[in-house]
Amino acid sequence: MNMNSLPADVVEAIQQGETIEAIKRLRLATGLGLKEAKDIVDACSEGEAVVIASAKPSDTLPAEVVAAIQRGNKIEAIKLLRELTGLGLKEAKDAVDASPHATSS
């Protein structure tokens, strides 16, 4: 298995056969959506080499999310971000809170 590009805790979960835990950890570490994280974990479990790039939404948020943040509606921004990216609630909230656009709220 070539898992050099995966976080150590994800590799550990894969090696222990804990697929769901590996997917959760990968999503948390990278901001990937559920399908993307599952595909990567499945590929690693089958011995395929994978290279991942972080998809952390705090780097670039969709325009609709930024607009909601600028209107002062963080809840709407979180909901939109979840719909658009497949992130979990905590990851979406963290991304909205970390946004430079959130400083005015």
Side-chain angles (χ1 to χ4, degrees):
M1 272 188 262
N2 181 356
M3 295 184 277
N4 294 335
S5 66
L6 294 176
D9 61 334
V10 175
V11 173
E12 179 182 333
I14 292 170
Q15 290 172 339
Q16 293 175 354
E18 299 174 359
T19 303
I20 293 173
E21 186 62 28
I23 293 167
K24 288 180 185 176
R25 291 176 182 180
L26 183 58
R27 291 186 71 205
L28 182 62
T30 63
L32 289 170
L34 179 59
K35 182 184 180 333
E36 293 82 5
K38 180 185 180 306
D39 290 346
I40 289 170
V41 168
D42 288 347
C44 283
S45 296
E46 294 170 8
E48 296 176 27
V50 296
V51 177
I52 58 170
S54 177
K56 281 284 189 190
S58 58
D59 297 338
T60 56
L61 294 173
E64 305 96 315
V65 175
V66 172
I69 293 169
Q70 290 174 334
R71 288 192 302 271
N73 195 336
K74 284 178 126 179
I75 293 173
E76 178 187 353
I78 293 166
K79 286 180 183 179
L80 282 169
L81 187 57
R82 292 187 70 202
E83 289 172 13
L84 295 169
T85 64
L87 286 175
L89 178 60
K90 182 185 183 320
E91 294 84 4
K93 181 185 179 305
D94 290 347
V96 168
D97 287 343
S99 169
H101 307 284
T103 57
S104 61
S105 16

